[in-house]
Amino acid sequence: MKKGIKFVASIHFKIALVFTLTLLVTLELIGAFFIKQLERSNLSNFRQQITLPAYVSDQLTQQLTGSETASSNANIHNVLSSVNNVLITEIEVVDTQGIIRGTSDINDQDAVGQKTTDSNLRHAANNQTYLKNPVEQHGSSRYQTVVKPLIETTNGDNTTVGAVIVKANLESVYATLQRISVIYLSATLLAVMLGVIMAVIISRALAKPISDINQRTIRIAAGDYSGDIDVRSHDEIGQLATNVNALAQRIEETTNSQELERRRLDSVLEHMTDGVIATDRRGSINLINSAALAMIGIEDVSEVLGQYVLQILHLNEQYQLREFFENDDNLFLDFSDDDRQLKVKVYNTQIQRESGFISGMVIVLHDVTEEQRINEERRQFVSNVSHELRTPLTSVKSYIDALQDGAMNDQEVAPHFLKVAQDETTRMIHMINDLLELSRMDSGTMRLTLEYVNLSELFNYILNRFDMIISNEQQPDQKQYSIVRDVTDESIWVEIDPSKLTQVIDNIMNNAIKYSPDGGVITTRMVKEERQVVLSISDQGLGIPQKDLNHVFDRFFRVDKARSRAQGGTGLGLAISKEIVESFKGKIWVTSQEGQGSTFNIALPYTIEGNLDDDWEDDDFDEMG
């Protein structure tokens, strides 16, 4: 059904229908005009054929003027009988009284002498208005009648003496017209059939390029720009096809250019570290990149598209949309939770047309978490450095002032004051050196001399040094401690800078010694795992509170600040150790329970190459130390 309706509505059908209807109407009009003209012509010729000759009319006029009615009637009958015209059905003559004086119909001779019932014939006999050639219907037959007054001319005067009517059957004429009409109708039907065929052919020829253009435009609308229309002519349709081909090419170029720009924009947005959100003028989100989704903690983009932007940013209770648009102050949002720290700065700008109409806005979310952390660390660093330097400087100044005020002459007090000033100065020098080393690490200018080292021998060598220190410092007034080793004898080769790793282990061992109680045991281990080797140093000190474990490697951090400062620490050793270990692609961490000591662990990747030379000698380590 739909297919039939679609065909009827097609231009192919319409062209054929218009052509066929035009041909049919034209042939009908021509046929009607032709048949009508043919009928008129045939009737005119027929009337001429049945018109009485002039001599017959003269004879009839002469007989009507005779005084002897019976003789005149007989003569009129003879005259009428002498007329030899097969087309004439009946001839009837009447006088001015309307009396029938003669008739050619043998079967109607009784009507002679009677008044005629034909009023038109009486009017003609009495010189009144009459119809000359009326067509009469008798039963199922039509008759052509010709009425003519009979006029006598005497001395130039015309006198109507009667009238004659000639009747002839028209069925032969109309039969001929019927046959001609049938022939014309047959020809018309044949012409219409041929016209329909021609209309179909012509409509196909006309509709085919239009259909091709239509299909081409449908493909263009669907995004398919391949294939040109075959231009078969140079008329208006051919020009249209050419223009459609050119239009398709321009649209394809424009679309490709826009698609390229869109992909570039998508790529830029997708790889931006800043979050980007675009909205319409009502604040509904219509574009958001991955960075923005990650910042607001949503994975599926469909959850935010079409949503109110202030609700997504949790600002709907603080701002109306217009207020948010017009806000020029720095706006910071905190998306921090238990799993992450995230603070962002919000920038927004309106999308405005040349007419001034605001069609939307773009919001940029800039992650300032690291920036604020660095600023906070910088402020904390400055504060720590100031504090760490102020304390020994104050102490030095106080002792120097005391010496200047007279303590210099006191032989018991002066040496002690000078030693304190010297110790504080040495501590500040160590702190400055540590700060310089950290600065080189931060700037990437620290030089590492990497080489493959047998870690087992290096670790044992460092521990041997500490054992030697213990044996040389066995004094009753000094802290007593011992070192327990659990180190594998297997050769494990790592790529490190030996002097830097020695510095790390020395720092951890010194801390273990400082914070271990008298008689404490320091346990050292080296365990080989699947992909790394782990060094661990455990003490029996006071341990580290759980809340401080994540800050142990921060710069200037001390668990017990007073005790650490009293023991001469700078608070930078573990921070330096962490930087060094990470430069070896390793990892350092601490585990501790408050009151039960701490364990520092160092994990380093090792190589499976077993053909490296092992040339460690004590002298070499002495030079590095």
Side-chain angles (χ1 to χ4, degrees):
M1 183 66 180
K2 291 183 179 180
K3 185 176 181 181
I5 295 175
K6 185 176 180 181
F7 173 75
V8 171
S10 67
I11 190 172
H12 178 78
F13 174 77
K14 291 178 180 178
I15 293 175
L17 179 62
V18 169
F19 188 87
T20 302
L21 290 178
T22 302
L23 177 63
L24 183 61
V25 170
T26 301
L27 291 176
E28 286 297 324
L29 291 176
I30 293 174
F33 178 77
F34 172 74
I35 296 299
K36 193 66 177 177
Q37 289 299 109
L38 182 62
E39 180 183 7
R40 290 178 181 178
S41 176
N42 285 352
L43 289 177
S44 176
N45 292 334
F46 189 76
R47 284 193 296 270
Q48 290 178 3
Q49 291 177 2
I50 64 174
T51 301
L52 294 176
Y55 72 90
V56 174
S57 298
D58 292 341
Q59 290 179 3
L60 293 175
T61 301
Q62 183 180 358
Q63 296 301 323
L64 287 175
T65 56
S67 57
E68 292 294 333
T69 302
S71 176
S72 297
N73 290 344
N75 292 332
I76 289 173
H77 177 72
N78 292 331
V79 172
L80 295 177
S81 299
S82 65
V83 176
N84 187 16
N85 191 334
V86 297
L87 298 177
I88 296 175
T89 301
E90 180 183 3
I91 303 174
E92 185 176 303
V93 180
V94 298
D95 58 15
T96 56
Q97 300 299 320
I99 297 173
I100 299 174
R101 300 292 298 275
T103 177
S104 63
D105 187 0
I106 299 176
N107 298 322
D108 196 24
Q109 292 300 317
D110 293 339
V112 176
Q114 298 180 4
K115 282 187 171 287
T116 181
T117 58
D118 190 343
S119 59
N120 187 52
L121 185 58
R122 289 199 305 269
H123 291 162
N126 291 304
N127 199 23
Q128 297 176 358
T129 302
Y130 67 96
L131 298 177
K132 294 182 179 180
N133 305 303
V135 176
E136 298 178 354
Q137 183 78 27
H138 295 285
S140 61
S141 299
R142 286 166 291 183
Y143 290 88
Q144 176 66 62
T145 60
V146 177
V147 178
K148 181 180 181 182
L150 297 176
I151 301 172
E152 179 185 17
T153 303
T154 305
N155 298 324
D157 295 329
N158 295 327
T159 303
T160 301
V161 297
V164 61
I165 181 172
V166 178
K167 297 180 180 181
N169 196 325
L170 289 173
E171 294 305 316
S172 61
V173 175
Y174 282 102
T176 301
L177 290 175
Q178 184 69 23
R179 289 193 297 272
I180 294 174
S181 298
V182 171
I183 294 172
Y184 183 81
L185 180 60
S186 301
T188 299
L189 293 176
L190 180 61
V192 169
M193 292 177 63
L194 294 176
V196 169
I197 296 174
M198 293 178 62
V200 170
I201 296 173
I202 294 173
S203 65
R204 282 184 178 179
L206 293 176
K208 182 62 169 61
I210 297 177
S211 178
D212 292 343
I213 293 173
N214 180 52
Q215 294 298 323
R216 178 72 166 133
T217 54
I218 291 175
R219 293 199 305 272
I220 292 174
D224 180 11
Y225 306 104
S226 60
D228 290 339
I229 302 172
D230 186 14
V231 181
R232 301 182 179 89
S233 62
H234 299 286
D235 55 8
E236 288 80 358
I237 296 179
Q239 293 175 4
L240 177 61
T242 302
N243 293 335
V244 170
N245 288 335
L247 177 63
Q249 184 177 1
R250 292 293 299 275
I251 293 176
E252 182 178 12
E253 293 174 354
T254 303
T255 303
N256 291 338
S257 177
Q258 292 178 346
E259 180 67 17
L260 179 60
E261 292 299 324
R262 187 188 65 79
R263 290 181 179 178
R264 287 177 180 173
L265 178 60
D266 290 344
S267 178
V268 170
L269 291 176
E270 193 64 26
H271 293 87
M272 284 181 64
T273 56
D274 290 342
V276 179
I277 302 175
T279 73
D280 60 17
R281 62 190 307 268
R282 295 180 178 84
S284 297
I285 298 175
N286 51 36
L287 184 146
I288 184 169
N289 68 346
S290 299
L293 288 174
M295 288 180 181
I296 62 180
I298 296 177
E299 296 182 357
D300 190 358
V301 67
S302 62
E303 295 182 17
V304 298
L305 290 180
Q307 298 296 317
Y308 189 45
V309 63
L310 296 185
Q311 183 176 357
I312 295 298
L313 296 178
H314 308 296
L315 294 173
N316 53 319
E317 296 181 358
Q318 304 176 34
Y319 294 95
Q320 295 294 328
L321 189 61
R322 179 178 294 276
E323 295 175 353
F324 182 72
F325 280 160
E326 297 174 351
N327 180 36
D328 295 329
D329 298 333
N330 290 333
L331 179 60
F332 293 90
L333 299 178
D334 190 351
F335 292 111
S336 301
D337 53 28
D338 295 338
D339 298 328
R340 65 174 182 175
Q341 289 290 325
L342 178 61
K343 296 180 180 180
V344 299
K345 186 176 182 180
V346 181
Y347 302 90
N348 70 78
T349 182
Q350 298 175 357
I351 303 174
Q352 195 169 15
R353 300 176 183 173
E354 295 181 357
S355 62
F357 178 78
I358 298 175
S359 59
M361 74 172 181
V362 174
I363 301 171
V364 178
L365 306 177
H366 179 61
D367 186 354
V368 295
T369 307
E370 185 66 17
E371 179 181 343
Q372 291 192 355
R373 186 188 66 81
I374 292 174
N375 290 336
E376 180 62 28
E377 287 183 354
R378 184 181 295 113
R379 288 191 294 269
Q380 187 67 30
F381 177 78
V382 172
S383 175
N384 288 334
V385 170
S386 301
H387 181 72
E388 293 295 335
L389 290 177
R390 183 175 66 249
T391 300
L393 284 173
T394 302
S395 178
V396 170
K397 183 177 184 302
S398 298
Y399 282 105
I400 291 176
D401 289 343
L403 291 172
Q404 288 178 344
D405 291 340
M408 178 75 70
N409 298 322
D410 190 338
Q411 297 298 323
E412 295 181 3
V413 176
H416 174 69
F417 282 8
L418 290 174
K419 185 177 186 307
V420 171
Q422 184 181 19
D423 291 343
E424 294 294 345
T425 303
T426 302
R427 181 165 165 261
M428 285 189 289
I429 292 172
H430 289 163
M431 184 185 301
I432 297 300
N433 290 335
D434 289 345
L435 289 173
L436 290 174
E437 186 169 6
L438 280 173
S439 177
R440 286 192 293 270
M441 292 177 181
D442 291 339
S443 62
T445 58
M446 182 182 69
R447 297 183 61 182
L448 295 176
T449 305
L450 298 179
E451 56 182 282
Y452 285 101
V453 176
N454 187 336
L455 187 60
S456 300
E457 293 194 4
L458 175 60
F459 195 29
N460 281 315
Y461 171 78
I462 297 172
L463 296 178
N464 289 338
R465 285 196 310 156
F466 278 94
D467 286 339
M468 187 178 297
I469 293 172
I470 293 173
S471 63
N472 292 333
E473 295 182 351
Q474 293 294 332
Q475 301 296 330
D477 58 340
Q478 292 184 343
K479 182 191 296 186
Q480 303 296 317
Y481 61 90
S482 60
I483 300 175
V484 176
R485 306 187 194 188
D486 183 9
V487 180
T488 179
D489 294 331
E490 182 182 356
S491 296
I492 301 175
W493 297 89
V494 294
E495 188 178 17
I496 58 172
D497 184 333
S499 63
K500 294 298 181 182
L501 184 61
T502 301
Q503 178 182 347
V504 172
I505 297 175
D506 283 348
N507 182 66
I508 297 175
M509 288 294 296
N510 286 326
N511 286 341
I513 293 171
K514 288 179 184 178
Y515 298 110
S516 292
D518 189 16
V521 177
I522 299 173
T523 304
T524 61
R525 295 182 179 87
M526 186 174 76
V527 179
K528 179 180 179 183
E529 297 182 353
E530 182 178 358
R531 296 180 179 272
Q532 61 187 7
V533 58
V534 179
L535 304 178
S536 63
I537 300 173
S538 303
D539 60 46
Q540 295 177 338
L542 297 177
I544 303 172
Q546 194 69 27
K547 63 182 179 63
D548 294 330
L549 284 178
N550 293 331
H551 303 286
V552 168
F553 297 98
D554 293 347
R555 299 175 187 186
F556 294 109
F557 180 80
R558 294 184 179 92
V559 177
D560 186 349
K561 295 180 173 57
R563 183 181 178 189
S564 298
R565 190 174 291 112
Q567 293 181 347
T570 63
L572 297 174
L574 291 178
I576 295 174
S577 298
K578 179 182 178 183
E579 296 289 341
I580 292 175
V581 172
E582 289 180 350
S583 69
F584 299 152
K585 299 179 182 180
K587 179 182 178 183
I588 184 171
W589 71 97
V590 61
T591 58
S592 178
Q593 290 186 2
E594 195 169 0
Q596 298 183 15
S598 303
T599 300
F600 284 83
N601 303 280
I602 302 173
L604 297 172
Y606 64 86
T607 180
I608 59 174
E609 296 181 8
N611 56 351
L612 299 173
D613 294 334
D614 182 10
D615 297 329
W616 288 107
E617 299 291 344
D618 290 350
D619 294 340
D620 296 334
F621 286 106
D622 290 339
E623 292 176 2
M624 288 186 296

